[in-house]
Amino acid sequence: AQKVTQAQTEISVVEKEDVTLDCVYETRDTTYYLFWYKQPPSGELVFLIRRNSFDEQNEISGRYSWNFQKSTSSFNFTITASQVVDSAVYFCALSENTGRRALTFGSGTRLQVQP
Amino acid sequence: GAGVSQSPSNKVTEKGKDVELRCDPISGHTALYWYRQSLGQGLEFLIYFQGNSAPDKSGLPSDRFSAERTGGSVSTLTIQRTQQEDSAVYLCASSLGLDRGLSDTQYFGPGTRLTVL
């Protein structure tokens, strides 16, 4: 069975601080995809990034960066110079290597960025 | 372009009543998913449709839950004889589908918040 663990339930930072959201996963599949989604107060899950199990290069998109380490089964997400608009719940997810490819989600990390 | 839409955005019902939740996927997406988000259980997979194939219902919590997808597009999730534990946000997602393999990315709608009194 697959599992995604986001140990940080809630993080509070002050604007312009850097913050890292942790994600640890378990799977027996050798091929899989990892995802991060953002859920702002409006409730809609917004896709942020997809990473496949064979690509361990770090990725940077503006203030966002992702660190995928297969050796530790982690896919951490860093926001640099956080802004109030970054306040949301962030979910890490793992795709099943089955026909349905349903996502297994972590429990989410609530990020509050104070002005 | 238009994203995934869901209706209603909020639904309040009485215990024992039936409810229908609607999802309109992104045009051209052949795969459609329903998930449920509740405080106690987090985000859970419910059901998966791929094109006109028979759906994968393995995530449905009980036989009171059913879903259909008409014409490979719009989907309706029906909950019969609602119970208080059915209170949750029901999220629909769509994706391009099988041809994309594991890289297929799911895009979510805004959800329907169901409250069973």
Side-chain angles (χ1 to χ4, degrees):
Chain A
Q2 301 193 134
K3 187 177 179 181
V4 176
T5 302
Q6 294 180 256
Q8 304 150 307
T9 305
E10 188 162 344
I11 300 175
S12 183
V13 298
V14 177
E15 210 169 17
K16 296 185 184 176
E17 283 186 28
D18 298 347
V19 58
T20 295
L21 310 181
D22 298 334
C23 172
V24 174
Y25 63 92
E26 297 174 28
T27 180
R28 292 182 181 176
D29 295 333
T30 53
T31 302
Y32 51 88
Y33 273 78
L34 293 158
F35 300 80
W36 275 94
Y37 286 85
K38 174 182 179 179
Q39 188 174 42
S42 61
E44 187 165 343
L45 278 168
V46 177
F47 166 71
L48 295 178
I49 192 172
R50 174 188 70 220
R51 174 51 52 89
N52 78 57
S53 52
F54 296 106
D55 181 2
E56 292 194 64
Q57 281 194 335
N58 290 336
E59 180 153 347
I60 299 175
S61 176
R63 296 183 298 105
Y64 295 172
S65 62
W66 290 269
N67 184 316
F68 174 38
Q69 292 196 343
K70 211 167 177 179
S71 60
T72 56
S73 297
S74 65
F75 185 41
N76 296 337
F77 172 30
T78 297
I79 302 175
T80 303
S82 59
Q83 300 176 1
V84 172
V85 294
D86 296 327
S87 296
V89 180
Y90 291 86
F91 290 93
C92 180
L94 173 65
S95 64
E96 295 179 0
N97 191 358
T98 62
R100 70 184 193 184
R101 291 177 310 236
L103 294 173
T104 300
F105 285 89
S107 54
T109 297
R110 180 177 299 277
L111 174 65
Q112 293 192 346
V113 182
Q114 309 289 345
Chain B
V4 178
S5 60
Q6 292 185 245
S7 61
S9 54
N10 279 284
K11 177 72 177 178
V12 180
T13 191
E14 293 179 350
K15 179 182 172 181
K17 295 282 179 70
D18 298 351
V19 295
E20 285 189 353
L21 313 180
R22 176 189 167 105
C23 171
D24 207 334
I26 293 171
S27 177
H29 281 192
T30 64
L32 188 147
Y33 299 78
W34 284 97
Y35 291 83
R36 178 169 71 173
Q37 184 175 23
S38 58
L39 280 176
Q41 302 297 322
L43 273 153
E44 310 170 272
F45 164 79
L46 296 178
I47 189 168
Y48 161 66
F49 293 89
Q50 171 56 54
N52 294 318
S53 302
D56 181 330
K57 307 178 185 179
S58 55
L60 294 179
S62 80
D63 58 9
R64 295 185 296 104
F65 287 71
S66 63
E68 63 177 21
R69 190 177 183 193
T70 53
S73 182
V74 172
S75 176
T76 303
L77 177 69
T78 300
I79 309 174
Q80 296 179 309
R81 305 181 302 281
T82 52
Q83 303 293 313
Q84 288 182 331
E85 62 262 28
D86 299 334
S87 296
V89 176
Y90 290 82
L91 292 164
C92 176
S94 71
S95 66
L96 284 169
L98 275 177
D99 292 345
R100 300 287 295 180
L102 281 179
S103 68
D104 203 24
T105 297
Q106 296 175 33
Y107 296 91
F108 285 79
T112 294
R113 181 175 296 279
L114 175 65
T115 303
V116 182
L117 301 176

